[in-house]
Amino acid sequence: MTGRNEINAMNCRDVRELADSFLSEELLTETNHDILRHVESCVSCRNEIATRRQLRAGTQGCVRSGRGNCSLLTN
Amino acid sequence: VTEGRAAAEAAGETLSAFEVEVLPHTNRLFRLALWFERNRADAEDLVQETMVQALRSFHRFKPGTNSRAWLVTILQHLMSNRRRARRRSPLVEDPDDGLALSLPFAPPVPEQLTDEEMLEALRRLPDAFQQVIVLADVEELSYKEIAEALDIPVGTVMSRLHRGRALLRTELAAFAVAGTGQRRARG
């Protein structure tokens, strides 16, 4: 008989679909746990999530950097 | 005279609350405006308009909610009106078909990327994708806040983020290929 954990276990496809929402902290706590449980044993998904995290940080850094301040505040 | 004084006091309190809730976000709002308008003068006009509108509508702001998200919503509406007036491409074009739909998978992100390459890759995306990515990743708004700011369903925010990020990775992968080509050419 299949146990509850096996029924609810996420596969790689599920994790990839939810990875962005996971990083945006948009998921339910239970879903976060399911993802974490999956990536504990799946190197490929772990790397994919790390890549997406890196991409977000890169986007944030490049848009925020070197843009100066609003002169409305100083004029 | 008493009524006049009470009104003046109320106006003073509104201004104080406005200064606390809104003004600290000016620089960040400016960076967002600069990203979308692409020139300093237009970005400053947009921020100024946003602030004026925010002050007029400040009675509608709910204390305790995210004031930055509220400001972004005002800014997005003003920007949408401006673009319509300029007859430029619509702010929220429908990108939910065509190239983006046919993306098979997201390629790996090259390890060595400059800020300029990131910026250029982001600029190459259709506006609607850029918009949700910047609001989510740079402004760190929630899906719900982005949906309210852009007046689109949360599901559309999610699908645009998903497709936009996949497209971004495709653009970045192209830089890696170009970089390899340059290195080969030099060697």
Side-chain angles (χ1 to χ4, degrees):
Chain A
M1 188 177 163
T2 311
R4 183 184 174 276
N5 285 343
E6 285 175 54
I7 292 172
N8 290 339
M10 283 197 180
N11 58 33
C12 294
R13 190 185 178 88
D14 297 331
V15 171
R16 305 299 166 104
E17 276 180 14
L18 294 171
D20 287 324
S21 300
F22 170 73
L23 291 173
S24 297
E25 299 174 14
E26 293 276 352
L27 299 176
L28 296 172
T29 309
E30 292 81 355
T31 316
N32 283 332
H33 288 162
D34 289 342
I35 290 178
L36 290 171
R37 226 177 345 257
H38 177 89
V39 299
E40 267 174 23
S41 58
C42 178
V43 177
S44 167
C45 283
R46 197 157 60 228
N47 289 341
E48 173 64 20
I49 285 179
T51 299
R52 292 194 198 191
R53 188 174 276 131
Q54 176 202 344
L55 190 64
R56 287 161 61 92
T59 307
Q60 198 172 77
C62 81
V63 174
R64 283 186 183 171
S65 68
R67 290 278 169 183
N69 288 336
C70 181
S71 64
L72 293 174
L73 286 178
T74 50
N75 284 347
Chain B
V1 175
T2 311
E3 276 179 20
R5 186 179 294 160
E9 280 174 8
E13 281 171 18
T14 300
L15 267 179
S16 301
F18 185 80
E19 280 173 12
V20 171
E21 286 282 0
V22 171
L23 290 189
H25 300 304
T26 309
N27 266 333
R28 202 152 162 187
L29 209 60
F30 172 68
R31 283 199 297 270
L32 182 65
L34 195 56
W35 173 261
F36 288 121
E37 289 292 358
R38 304 184 188 191
N39 79 73
R40 202 176 174 90
D42 283 346
E44 288 188 349
D45 277 355
L46 182 57
V47 172
Q48 192 162 31
E49 258 185 86
T50 303
M51 290 302 181
V52 170
Q53 189 60 52
L55 184 57
R56 278 188 195 140
S57 315
F58 196 57
H59 59 282
R60 283 193 224 129
F61 172 70
K62 292 176 194 156
T65 59
N66 183 348
S67 52
R68 196 161 51 79
W70 180 69
L71 286 170
V72 169
T73 303
I74 295 174
L75 182 137
Q76 291 290 345
H77 287 166
L78 290 170
M79 195 165 63
S80 180
N81 291 342
R82 280 178 164 211
R83 291 200 178 192
R84 253 197 305 275
R86 286 182 204 152
R87 294 172 187 240
R88 273 163 60 171
S89 59
L91 186 63
V92 183
E93 63 205 34
D94 186 3
D96 302 325
D97 52 20
L99 175 67
L101 270 182
S102 65
L103 282 171
F105 86 114
V109 177
E111 286 182 13
Q112 302 288 330
L113 276 173
T114 63
D115 270 3
E116 287 71 29
E117 286 172 333
M118 271 304 297
L119 278 172
E120 196 181 330
L122 201 53
R123 285 275 183 230
R124 285 183 186 174
L125 304 186
D127 279 354
F129 290 140
Q130 276 185 42
Q131 204 172 27
V132 290
I133 288 176
V134 169
L135 293 182
D137 294 352
V138 183
E139 292 305 312
E140 299 175 293
L141 298 191
S142 69
Y143 291 172
K144 185 167 174 283
E145 288 166 343
I146 297 171
E148 282 168 5
L150 301 181
D151 201 19
I152 55 177
V154 171
T156 307
V157 173
M158 291 166 71
S159 62
R160 285 186 189 175
L161 272 174
H162 182 75
R163 289 170 187 158
R165 285 180 178 137
L167 263 180
L168 185 60
R169 285 171 74 161
T170 306
E171 293 291 348
L172 290 171
F175 281 121
V177 172
T180 308
Q182 282 166 8
R183 278 195 292 277
R184 277 184 190 148
R186 277 201 299 270

